[in-house]
Amino acid sequence: MSARPNKKRRVADKKATADAVSGKLKAAAQAALAIDGQALVQFVDPEGKSAGPQLDVPLGTSKEQLGTLLNQLLENAEEMPYSFHLEDNEITSNLAASFSKLAKGSQSTERVLNITYYPLAVFRVRPVTRCTSSLSGHIEAVLCVSFSPDSTKLASGSGDSTVRLWDLNTELPKHTCKGHLNWVLAVAWSPDGSRLASAGMDKIVLVWCTSSGKNIGALKGHSQPVTCATWQPLHVAEAFPWLATSSKDTTVRIWDTTAGACLRTLSSHAQPVMQVRWSGEKEDTGGVIYTAGRDCVIKVWNPKDGSMLNELKGHGHWINTLALNLDYVIRSGPFSHEPQKFADLAEKKEAAKKRYAEALELCGGERLLSGSDDFTLFLWKPLASKHPVCRMTGHQKIVNQVAFSPDGRWFASASFDKSVRLWDGRTGKYVHAFRGHVGDVYQLAWSADSRLLVSVSKDSTAKCWDIARRKLLEDLPGHADEVFAVDWSLDGTRVATGSKDRLLKIWRH
């Protein structure tokens, strides 16, 4: 007998809750409409150039309405996504909310408010949430992982002195590449995806054909372990791209992998060279090479004649990591997040050149970032000045890795202080510290749309962070030991992690 009144009461409670929620939503909508006042605004791009005239808009204007306005001003054929910033405050709901956060002296509707707009990727990468495959086969720790530019294959290097190629369509092993005599510390895909370079403790650089898994060249010359390998950007290469490798023997060597010959040896570092990056600027010289290491100096080289162009000084301890704001587009060459077919290398070069030019314009020029054992980062415009744009402090321990987002809007730094820090990609201004790891953070990887970041740590987890909301999106446990390596495929569908537990894990949405 008493069950029926209880049921009625539950229904009444649910109705009251629903009415309260809808009432709050209506009140919020009316509050947005009821915000009094107008403001003079001027849309400006990240470089400070004005887009259209000054506009008199209501303070209640929403982020979506600002987007519609800007698309009309820029005469975009289809509506493009943008993020808007009023001084340092991102506009997330409406203009009034960000206006109220301005410093007291700046809260005047009489002055013109500059709204900076940043283009966002037109596609959206979904966060990785689950492990779809645990790839076993390595019999020692997995030290490096890298997806191919077309996102169809994955390469891993291990302490068992093998390189393995994995087929991502089936998530099964494809080739085991044997030839190294010691740990493999670096794997690097050529920008057209046809070759893979691997190097490590045995001082030899091996080049593999990625379709057959066969060794097509052993490059000998370094007298100490090889620390890093990078390919020449496709659009500045005259024939097939060259390869640059850095070593603890204080030199950097440039190789022609087709002929199997060392073209140049760049030697003026006084200590082991730990990092090398190849920029796509200066097409006439085949790009520009940046090298850094334990002598605390970054050197800038002309790869065509091997001459040193500049020295960048500022760090007080070993430099562990370098990153270019165009790394993503250099690495992916002609391939984008959409599947494409190319007839030959010339067609790939043309596509790579076009993508590089677009990315360079979006980023507003090339920037270089360095991270060091002195707990600091430096942001450089190395071809414009030998003085840094800024010096960034905040980390409490050594900075292990830095990485720019694909659109150059942000960069992130991973440190042994267990945090990942987010910074503005143009100015180097500190934005946020992501905390959640309980061990040293080893590596980072960005999603192709620049909205997500994944980090791996000594605490045996990977974590996926939401950049816009500045919070942890997914915790990814599963490895049984430290996670040393991570990469996010260039089409955004998969994340690969490599661990001391000898497993590679593939994570997907």
Side-chain angles (χ1 to χ4, degrees):
M1 287 294 286
S2 62
R4 200 169 293 156
N6 281 348
K7 195 174 180 185
K8 278 184 181 171
R9 199 177 302 127
R10 279 203 300 273
V11 170
D13 288 348
K14 276 185 183 171
K15 190 171 181 302
T17 308
D19 289 347
V21 170
S22 68
K24 278 181 185 170
L25 289 172
K26 275 182 192 164
Q30 281 165 353
L33 292 170
I35 292 167
D36 285 333
Q38 299 280 114
L40 267 179
V41 300
Q42 173 72 67
F43 287 108
V44 293
D45 70 6
E47 299 299 307
K49 296 194 200 95
S50 304
Q54 295 174 4
L55 302 171
D56 193 4
V57 299
L59 279 173
T61 306
S62 69
K63 180 186 170 184
E64 290 73 25
Q65 289 166 327
L66 289 172
T68 307
L69 264 178
L70 181 62
N71 275 291
Q72 286 171 354
L73 286 174
L74 298 176
E75 297 176 358
N76 291 335
E78 55 183 290
E79 190 126 327
M80 305 294 279
Y82 295 94
S83 71
F84 299 98
H85 293 252
L86 190 60
E87 288 186 6
D88 295 334
N89 303 302
E90 186 170 353
I91 299 170
T92 51
S93 53
N94 57 28
L95 193 54
S98 298
F99 181 71
S100 65
K101 289 179 190 168
L102 293 180
K104 284 285 177 267
S106 307
Q107 289 181 9
S108 164
T109 50
E110 300 298 312
R111 71 185 189 106
V112 179
L113 302 173
N114 279 349
I115 296 179
T116 310
Y117 63 90
Y118 294 89
L120 297 173
V122 290
F123 60 98
R124 192 175 276 276
V125 172
R126 296 193 296 180
V128 289
T129 55
R130 64 200 171 95
C131 174
T132 56
S133 294
S134 286
L135 307 176
S136 57
H138 285 297
I139 54 173
E140 285 291 338
V142 181
L143 303 175
C144 48
V145 297
S146 181
F147 283 100
S148 63
D150 61 0
S151 302
T152 60
K153 297 186 197 77
L154 173 70
S156 59
S158 162
D160 63 10
S161 66
T162 66
V163 174
R164 283 177 177 256
L165 293 172
W166 310 84
D167 184 342
L168 292 176
N169 294 322
T170 56
E171 298 193 353
L172 289 169
K174 194 161 181 152
H175 303 293
T176 303
C177 308
K178 294 179 178 175
H180 283 291
L181 305 171
N182 210 325
W183 297 359
V184 181
L185 300 176
V187 289
W189 292 86
S190 64
D192 70 329
S194 67
R195 294 180 194 177
L196 179 81
S198 62
M201 296 292 284
D202 61 359
K203 312 167 197 171
I204 302 166
V205 182
L206 297 180
V207 182
W208 311 90
C209 170
T210 58
S211 55
S212 66
K214 288 198 169 69
N215 181 0
I216 54 172
L219 310 174
K220 296 178 181 178
H222 284 299
S223 59
Q224 288 289 325
V226 181
T227 52
C228 187
T230 187
W231 291 85
Q232 184 179 25
L234 192 58
H235 67 279
V236 297
E238 285 177 9
F240 194 83
W242 294 339
L243 176 73
T245 56
S246 61
S247 165
K248 286 190 174 180
D249 64 10
T250 75
T251 68
V252 173
R253 287 176 179 259
I254 300 174
W255 309 88
D256 180 340
T257 58
T258 309
C262 176
L263 300 171
R264 282 170 203 46
T265 303
L266 312 177
S267 55
S268 93
H269 279 286
Q271 294 280 330
V273 186
M274 305 309 289
Q275 283 283 303
V276 56
R277 282 285 176 276
W278 203 319
S279 149
E281 293 284 86
K282 295 204 174 184
E283 207 172 318
D284 53 329
T285 63
V288 180
I289 292 178
Y290 301 107
T291 60
R294 295 187 176 174
D295 57 2
C296 317
V297 180
I298 301 168
K299 294 183 187 274
V300 187
W301 306 87
N302 173 346
K304 203 161 214 173
D305 60 12
S307 61
M308 192 169 77
L309 303 172
N310 213 339
E311 277 190 334
L312 310 175
K313 294 179 179 174
H315 282 295
H317 210 307
W318 296 354
I319 298 171
N320 299 317
T321 173
L322 292 178
L324 287 164
N325 59 349
L326 292 154
D327 271 342
Y328 175 83
V329 76
I330 288 170
R331 189 185 138 192
S332 55
F335 302 101
S336 69
H337 63 282
E338 293 169 341
Q340 287 149 299
K341 290 271 187 286
F342 299 100
D344 54 13
L345 192 64
E347 209 172 286
K348 285 181 179 175
K349 272 187 189 169
E350 204 49 51
K353 190 171 184 175
K354 186 175 169 220
R355 288 189 71 228
Y356 182 84
E358 285 169 3
L360 189 66
E361 192 181 345
L362 178 68
C363 292
E366 192 167 77
R367 288 170 181 78
L368 176 74
L369 183 62
S370 55
S372 162
D373 268 20
D374 64 10
F375 313 168
T376 69
L377 299 93
F378 276 84
L379 184 64
W380 313 84
K381 274 193 162 179
L383 297 179
S385 164
K386 56 162 62 178
H387 300 292
V389 175
C390 79
R391 174 177 182 263
M392 290 146 281
T393 58
H395 279 298
Q396 311 294 306
K397 288 191 179 175
I398 71 169
V399 180
N400 196 49
Q401 200 205 7
V402 291
F404 273 98
S405 62
D407 62 3
R409 171 80 183 86
W410 311 104
F411 58 84
S413 54
S415 166
F416 283 11
D417 66 9
K418 306 174 190 172
S419 75
V420 175
R421 284 178 181 255
L422 183 71
W423 315 78
D424 185 289
R426 287 164 191 265
T427 62
K429 191 172 183 298
Y430 167 73
V431 178
H432 187 71
F434 294 110
R435 300 189 190 280
H437 283 297
V438 292
D440 304 350
V441 185
Y442 289 142
Q443 278 200 355
L444 306 163
W446 284 88
S447 64
D449 64 352
S450 305
R451 291 182 175 101
L452 303 168
L453 176 72
V454 70
S455 58
V456 296
S457 161
K458 187 177 182 174
D459 65 13
S460 81
T461 69
K463 294 191 189 310
C464 184
W465 309 92
D466 184 319
I467 296 303
R469 288 183 286 177
R470 318 262 194 270
K471 67 174 201 174
L472 177 67
L473 209 54
E474 294 290 339
D475 201 352
L476 306 170
H479 280 294
D481 212 328
E482 303 177 38
V483 189
F484 291 138
V486 64
D487 197 17
W488 203 316
S489 67
L490 303 174
D491 63 359
T493 56
R494 294 174 177 86
V495 166
T497 53
S499 164
K500 193 175 176 180
D501 67 5
R502 310 192 290 276
L503 290 180
L504 271 157
K505 284 187 182 285
I506 305 282
W507 308 85
R508 301 178 71 172
H509 181 75

